[in-house]
């Protein structure tokens, strides 16, 4: 018997959720045949078989969370697996961990009378979530009824899965690691030609600002205390989808033409919405753009995802009364937000970046 475990999927990811199995127990598979699809880091990834053989056992079901290094498949026969793609292997005498989410149970369980337990089943109430108010920690009928009423009013709790779960983990890490500060301004874009591509103008202006102030196009390793300034601008573009936020990476934006940028952006957005974007297209961003104004809002305190040092936000374009050439005028204004990691970026660097960004946007073409 040989076991194939969940391989390292990159980006320091420690787990993945099983989306679907493409094989069943007893099937004979060949090398590189898809075994299952898992969701991680906002993408669905197919995991191929490392070798040929007959499948003896599958570990985990749809929806289970599997840790990197935990077993996925046990083969009954065939050549040894390609250890270059496998993170680890459990010995024959070891007990494999469960593929699902483990939940710790409290040691002291409250007392529940049979009639109350039957009521809980009838009302579909999980007794482990009920606060016991009876003598000696006993769960009463009133406790169960109160829990049922609360559930009906607030809705049932649902576990965070897939993209939502990945977002929660990344935002928690960002909150723990980043020291954010935000500066804002507005760009007067009233002189733009009719039909100007707003997103591409933002992309090009970010490339200009990164050249003027390279400190914001950087990665920071808080463990080693090392900053890396990056010459090439690989821009993360936040894409809002039905399942959550996906941030594919538009590569080398400073060196690409407008048609090339637009074509690349369209392809990334289509792949993100279809959930077919390759994992490598989600990695390696050096700075991020959130064009949230396409939906609504003017300014925002945005979230930086480590190891990046900055994220730019563009709010909703709207006509505003401003001073123009010494006279009051109604002009189309584009709100700008720049959130930066104040551990490695100074306020002066951020302000100069924003000035360069705004200045490029205010050019007529």
């Amino acid at each position: 018997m040989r076991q194939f475990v969940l391989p390292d999927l990159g980006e320091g990811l420690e787990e993945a959720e099983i989306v679907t199995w493409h094989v069943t127990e007893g099937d004979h598979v060949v090398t590189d045949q898809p075994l299952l699809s898992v969701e991680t880091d906002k993408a669905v990834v197919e995991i191929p078989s490392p070798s040929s053989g007959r499948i003896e056992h599958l570990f985990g079901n749809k929806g289970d969370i599997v840790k990197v290094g935990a077993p996925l498949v046990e083969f009954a026969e065939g050549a040894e697996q390609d250890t270059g793609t496998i993170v680890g292997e459990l010995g024959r005498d070891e007990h494999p961990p469960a593929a699902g989410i483990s939940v710790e149970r409290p040691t002291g369980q409250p007392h529940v009378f049979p009639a109350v337990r039957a009521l809980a089943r009838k009302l579909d109430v999980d007794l482990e979530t009920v606060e016991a108010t009876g003598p000696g920690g006993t769960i009463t009928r009133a406790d169960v009824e109160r829990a049922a009423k609360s559930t009906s009013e607030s809705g049932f709790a649902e576990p965070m899965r897939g993209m939502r779960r990945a977002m929660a983990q990344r935002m928690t890490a960002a909150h723990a690691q980043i020291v954010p500060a935000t500066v804002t301004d507005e760009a007067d874009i009233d002189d733009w030609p009719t039909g100007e591509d707003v997103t591409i103008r933002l992309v090009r202006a970010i490339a200009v600002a990164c050249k003027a102030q390279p400190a914001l196009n950087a990665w920071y390793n808080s463990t080693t205390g090392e900053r890396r300034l990056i010459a090439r601008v690989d821009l993360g573009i936040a894409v809002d989808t039905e399942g959550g936020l996906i941030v594919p990476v538009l590569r080398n934006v400073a060196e690409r033409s407008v048609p090339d940028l637009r074509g690349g952006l369209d392809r990334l957005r289509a792949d993100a919405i279809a959930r077919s974007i390759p994992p490598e297209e989600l990695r390696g961003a050096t700075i991020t753009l959130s064009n949230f104004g396409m939906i609504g809002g003017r300014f925002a305190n945005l979230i930086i995802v480590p190891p990046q040092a900055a994220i730019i936000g563009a709010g909703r374009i709207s006509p505003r009364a401003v001073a123009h050439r010494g006279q009051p005028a109604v002009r189309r204004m584009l709100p700008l937000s720049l959130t930066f990691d104040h551990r490695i970026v100074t306020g002066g660097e951020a302000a100069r970046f924003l000035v360069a960004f705004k200045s490029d946007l205010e050019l007529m073409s």
Side-chain angles (χ1 to χ4, degrees):
M1 299 290 182
R2 296 176 293 106
Q3 288 185 346
F4 171 57
V5 303
L6 180 65
D8 184 353
L9 299 172
E11 291 282 290
L13 298 171
E14 298 179 354
E15 59 194 15
E17 178 182 341
I18 297 175
V19 175
T20 185
W21 284 99
H22 303 304
V23 295
T24 59
E25 293 178 357
D27 285 355
H28 187 280
V29 297
V30 297
T31 303
D32 293 331
Q33 179 179 336
L35 295 175
L36 73 162
S37 294
V38 299
E39 184 172 26
T40 183
D41 197 23
K42 305 180 182 178
V44 176
V45 182
E46 280 192 348
I47 297 182
S49 176
S51 60
S52 299
R54 184 172 61 84
I55 294 175
E56 179 72 18
H57 182 63
L58 301 179
F59 295 90
N61 300 309
K62 178 180 178 180
D64 284 349
I65 306 298
V66 185
K67 298 288 185 181
V68 169
L72 291 174
V73 174
E74 187 170 74
F75 290 96
E77 58 192 25
E80 289 299 316
Q81 71 265 36
D82 178 5
T83 56
T85 62
I86 309 303
V87 173
E89 182 181 31
L90 297 178
R92 293 184 181 180
D93 296 331
E94 297 182 68
H95 297 286
I101 303 175
S102 62
V103 180
E104 295 183 0
R105 305 293 184 185
T107 55
Q109 296 289 345
H111 181 67
V112 186
F113 289 104
V116 175
R117 193 177 296 277
L119 176 63
R121 286 196 298 269
K122 178 181 178 181
L123 298 179
D124 196 22
V125 171
D126 182 357
L127 288 171
E128 294 186 4
T129 66
V130 177
E131 181 182 359
T133 63
T138 300
I139 294 179
T140 66
R141 291 180 61 90
D143 294 335
V144 172
E145 290 169 350
R146 184 169 50 251
K149 181 180 179 181
S150 175
T151 299
S152 66
E153 292 175 347
S154 61
F156 290 94
E158 58 176 335
M160 297 287 279
R161 299 284 193 182
M163 294 167 58
R164 295 283 181 179
R165 191 167 187 271
M167 179 177 69
Q169 293 172 335
R170 282 181 171 261
M171 294 303 99
T172 299
H175 179 72
Q177 298 177 33
I178 301 291
V179 180
T182 299
V183 291
T184 62
D185 207 336
E186 289 183 293
D188 184 340
I189 61 170
D190 204 67
D191 293 329
W192 276 10
T194 302
E196 186 78 334
D197 191 325
V198 177
T199 302
I200 297 303
R201 282 297 299 265
L202 290 167
V203 170
R204 293 173 60 196
I206 289 172
V208 170
C210 287
K211 183 176 181 180
Q213 197 56 246
L216 282 83
N217 193 55
W219 287 339
Y220 179 60
N221 187 327
S222 58
T223 302
T224 62
E226 296 175 336
R227 179 185 71 161
R228 177 181 298 179
L229 299 183
I230 303 171
R232 196 173 86 165
V233 182
D234 289 338
L235 182 63
I237 305 285
V239 177
D240 181 58
T241 73
E242 184 178 347
L245 191 69
I246 298 180
V247 188
V249 183
L250 194 59
R251 307 288 177 183
N252 199 21
V253 298
E255 304 300 326
R256 297 171 66 173
S257 66
V258 169
D260 188 33
L261 288 171
R262 171 43 63 188
L265 184 58
D266 289 343
R267 178 183 57 80
L268 288 176
R269 179 174 285 121
D271 288 348
I273 292 174
R275 304 296 304 282
S276 61
I277 191 164
E280 58 269 18
E281 298 288 358
L282 298 169
R283 300 169 182 162
T286 59
I287 193 168
T288 295
L289 167 66
S290 175
N291 190 7
F292 61 86
M294 298 173 66
I295 302 172
R298 292 186 62 206
F299 300 104
N301 293 316
L302 302 165
I303 306 297
I304 304 166
V305 176
Q308 295 174 56
I311 179 172
I312 300 97
R316 177 173 288 280
I317 299 170
S318 60
R320 293 175 53 78
V322 297
H324 179 66
R325 297 177 181 173
Q327 298 294 326
V330 176
R331 308 278 292 178
R332 292 175 70 234
M333 305 299 292
L334 171 57
L336 307 173
S337 302
L338 170 62
T339 300
F340 59 97
D341 187 346
H342 217 333
R343 297 175 303 171
I344 56 170
V345 177
T346 69
E349 289 168 335
R352 286 188 287 272
F353 180 98
L354 191 58
V355 167
F357 182 47
K358 173 184 173 180
S359 297
D360 189 78
L361 288 171
E362 290 182 338
L363 295 175
M364 293 184 62
S365 60

